[in-house]
């Protein structure tokens, strides 16, 4: 099965830049796609200094939907938003004051890739942190999701008025240009061995889910198009979590979110939309803030799935609930509530 490779290099333009991220892309692009992916053939998507987080999300979403192995190479710098102090990948227009609106939220990687098949997603990361983010990382791991294998490093802030080079990723690319891709853990160790010890920073290694993990079993069922079996297994874990910890517990909500994604994979956007609306409502009722990442993600996904519904009657049925939630949770995309109202008017015209 063909592989997919996403090459993402991003850093702010101007004085906020900590690393010359895009300089690694010519070296990576010189590596044959099959070697980058570790498969016989591969499709490569390159994002060099993207301007908009939504553009990155669109490409990531498309890569996540590819059925074969996915390797994501990310070079860039991490910054915290001022409101929630959550890590973001800084993009070309990012400044310290605009992180929330101009950078790519790191948790979007986890959200978009969490139901890919077990063992099918690899991250290779060469990241630099500003001083504030470096301190945050001392107490908080960088979460890329339980289903992805991760190798790489987060480098400490460079000296003032200097722009660092992505030395780890360049080492990875140089090794791969030989035409052979060793197992990623070996590639990772070989790349680290070429760096000065003081520049390594935090080393990132995570192997992904074990074969018996329920998420792996669900992903295998989805890959085999046994959508009913996948949902039944997720429903079992959801019910177990509700009984043990309550419907608003993170474990129960996690499985509710899995079932919402499974409805999407099964080609039932109305069921997926309804499930995401329920998740968002439960989180808000439990006291979570309208701008909490999990709340925003649930409403954004409900909105996206609502737009995929082809039956006007079912879309009209769900539209008012989505509009109510959008009024409370506007999200990061300007005009989201206006879009709901406009589409609802179009649906009413179709129904008249």
């Amino acid at each position: 099965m063909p592989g997919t490779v996403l090459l993402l290099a991003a850093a702010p333009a101007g004085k906020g830049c900590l690393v010359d991220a895009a300089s690694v892309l010519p070296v990576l692009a010189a590596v044959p796609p099959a070697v980058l992916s570790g498969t016989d053939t591969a499709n490569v998507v390159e994002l060099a200094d993207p301007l908009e987080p939504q553009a990155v999300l669109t490409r990531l979403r498309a890569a996540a939907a590819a059925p074969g192995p996915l390797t994501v190479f990310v070079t860039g710098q991490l910054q915290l938003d001022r409101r929630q102090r959550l890590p973001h990948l800084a993009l070309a227009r990012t400044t310290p004051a605009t992180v929330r609106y101009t950078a790519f939220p790191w948790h979007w990687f986890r959200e978009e890739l969490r139901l890919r098949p077990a063992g099918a997603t690899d991250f290779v990361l060469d990241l630099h942190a500003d001083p504030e983010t470096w301190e945050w990382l001392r107490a908080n791991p960088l979460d890329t999701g339980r289903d992805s294998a991760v190798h790489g490093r987060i480098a400490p802030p460079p000296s003032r008025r200097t722009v660092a080079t992505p030395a780890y990723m360049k080492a990875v690319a140089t090794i791969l240009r030989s035409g052979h891709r060793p197992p990623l853990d070996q590639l990772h160790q070989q790349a680290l061995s070429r760096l000065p010890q003081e520049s390594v920073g935090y080393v990132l290694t995570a192997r992904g889910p074990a074969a018996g993990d329920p998420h792996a079993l669900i992903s295998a069922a989805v890959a085999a198009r046994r959508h009913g079996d996948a949902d039944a297994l997720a429903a079992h874990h959801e019910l177990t979590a509700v009984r043990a910890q309550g419907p608003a517990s993170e474990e129960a909500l996690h499985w509710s979110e899995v079932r919402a994604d499974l409805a999407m994979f099964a080609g039932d956007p109305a069921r997926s939309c309804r499930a995401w609306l329920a998740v968002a409502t439960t989180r808000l009722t439990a006291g979570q803030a309208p701008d909490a990442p999990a709340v925003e993600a649930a409403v954004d996904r409900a909105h996206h799935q609502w737009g995929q519904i082809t039956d006007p009657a079912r879309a009209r049925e769900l539209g008012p609930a989505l509009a109510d939630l959008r009024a409370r949770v506007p999200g990061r995309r300007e005009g989201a509530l206006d879009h709901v109202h406009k589409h609802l008017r179009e649906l009413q015209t179709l129904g008249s």
Side-chain angles (χ1 to χ4, degrees):
M1 190 174 291
T4 300
V5 176
L6 180 60
L7 305 178
L8 172 56
K15 63 180 182 180
C17 182
L18 300 179
V19 58
D20 185 8
S23 66
V24 78
L25 287 177
V27 193
L28 283 170
V31 179
V35 177
L36 285 172
S37 176
T39 56
D40 291 338
T41 59
N43 302 308
V44 177
V45 178
E46 183 176 305
L47 284 170
D49 283 326
L51 299 177
E52 302 290 343
Q54 290 294 333
V56 179
L57 180 62
T58 298
R59 297 296 184 89
L60 177 64
R61 198 167 271 168
L70 171 63
T71 309
V72 183
F73 294 85
V74 183
T75 307
Q77 70 186 60
L78 295 174
Q79 291 181 226
L80 302 180
D81 70 297
R82 289 181 173 176
R83 183 186 299 184
Q84 296 173 304
R85 295 184 55 78
L86 293 175
H88 290 61
L89 182 70
L91 303 184
R93 294 174 176 167
T94 300
T95 66
T98 66
V99 170
R100 175 170 166 78
Y101 301 101
T102 62
F104 186 82
W106 193 262
H107 61 267
W108 283 6
F109 282 116
R110 180 185 70 238
E111 295 292 336
E112 294 302 322
L113 299 174
R114 64 183 173 183
L115 271 189
R116 283 184 49 78
T121 306
D122 294 303
F123 276 90
V124 181
L125 305 177
D126 189 355
L127 302 170
H128 284 67
D130 64 9
E132 184 182 28
T133 309
W134 187 252
E135 283 301 314
W136 183 89
L137 288 164
R138 292 182 185 275
N140 301 276
L142 191 66
D143 182 8
T144 314
R146 68 176 92 194
D147 298 326
S148 301
V150 181
H151 296 86
R153 62 98 182 235
I154 304 175
S159 302
R160 291 190 67 181
R161 297 180 182 174
T162 62
V163 176
T165 60
Y168 172 85
M169 195 66 79
K170 285 188 174 180
V172 166
T174 301
I175 295 166
L176 293 177
R177 285 184 69 176
S178 68
H180 169 65
R181 174 170 138 162
L184 279 184
D185 55 347
Q186 295 180 26
L187 175 64
H188 171 64
Q189 292 301 327
Q190 290 174 26
L192 285 179
S193 71
R194 300 188 179 199
L195 304 184
Q197 187 62 40
E198 66 273 10
S199 72
V200 170
Y202 294 121
V203 176
L204 303 172
T205 53
R207 296 184 177 275
D213 186 290
H215 299 83
L217 300 176
I218 289 169
S219 296
V222 171
R225 300 188 183 280
R226 294 186 287 107
H227 297 293
D229 292 345
D231 185 65
L233 183 55
H236 166 74
H237 287 283
E238 180 185 33
L239 181 59
T240 300
V242 168
R243 288 173 172 169
Q245 303 174 42
S249 65
E250 278 303 318
E251 185 69 11
L253 285 166
H254 166 74
W255 287 109
S256 299
E257 292 171 347
V258 168
R259 295 189 69 194
D261 275 337
L262 290 175
M264 175 192 68
F265 285 121
D268 191 343
R271 179 160 58 94
S272 181
C273 175
R274 184 177 287 107
W276 282 116
L277 290 173
V279 168
T281 300
T282 300
R283 289 190 177 280
L284 288 168
T285 303
Q288 295 188 23
D291 64 351
V295 175
E296 286 188 340
V299 179
D300 286 348
R301 285 169 171 263
H303 193 159
H304 177 74
Q305 288 299 296
W306 184 62
Q308 307 301 307
I309 300 171
T310 55
D311 180 350
R314 299 189 79 185
R316 281 195 299 272
E317 175 194 347
L318 292 168
L322 176 61
D324 288 345
L325 273 175
R326 263 295 177 223
R328 300 174 65 188
V329 186
R332 298 169 184 242
R333 198 164 190 176
E334 190 175 348
L337 179 57
D338 290 341
H339 173 267
V340 176
H341 287 311
K342 179 183 176 183
H343 190 41
L344 263 176
R345 288 194 296 269
E346 293 169 350
L347 291 168
Q348 297 298 342
T349 301
L350 289 173
S352 59

